[in-house]
Amino acid sequence: MTSVTPALGCGWRVPANGPASIRILSPLSFECYKVQIVDASNNAMSMRINEYLERGVLVQVRLKASFVLAEVCHCHAVEGDGFHVRLEIQDQVPS
């Protein structure tokens, strides 16, 4: 049975454990970073990444079946595991 956790202001979060990649759109970067999606809801998602991302950075997340445009709303270091980033989803389109 999958557990869901209510997220204050973010709807219901569903645990996830899947690879994805991101591209930083603002400020523009041509690098593509590998990330691990931790959980997602209808308007937010969390991921782990090896790079620190500033609050307000706009990113494109490439998932298996879609692209997500999102803004970084929180980033903090996770001991021995890079950074935990919370994203607010702006838009989503099928790939």
Side-chain angles (χ1 to χ4, degrees), residues 37-87:
I37 303 300
V38 177
D39 64 42
S41 70
N42 60 340
N43 61 354
M45 71 173 53
S46 293
M47 65 182 185
R48 287 201 184 99
I49 186 172
N50 290 330
E51 306 289 326
Y52 176 78
L53 298 176
E54 292 282 337
R55 184 174 186 217
V57 167
L58 191 61
V59 298
Q60 177 193 57
V61 183
R62 183 178 181 134
L63 302 168
K64 193 179 225 179
S66 64
F67 289 98
V68 174
L69 180 64
E71 183 178 334
V72 175
C73 58
H74 184 74
C75 181
H76 69 273
V78 177
E79 188 174 330
D81 200 22
F83 296 89
H84 182 92
V85 178
R86 188 81 181 145
L87 300 172

Side-chain angles (χ1 to χ4, degrees), residues 16-51:
N17 186 14
S21 62
I22 67 163
R23 185 169 307 243
I24 298 172
L25 301 177
S26 178
L28 184 60
S29 170
F30 294 104
E31 290 189 57
C32 189
Y33 300 93
K34 299 294 182 191
V35 300
Q36 189 72 24
I37 303 300
V38 177
D39 64 42
S41 70
N42 60 340
N43 61 354
M45 71 173 53
S46 293
M47 65 182 185
R48 287 201 184 99
I49 186 172
N50 290 330
E51 306 289 326

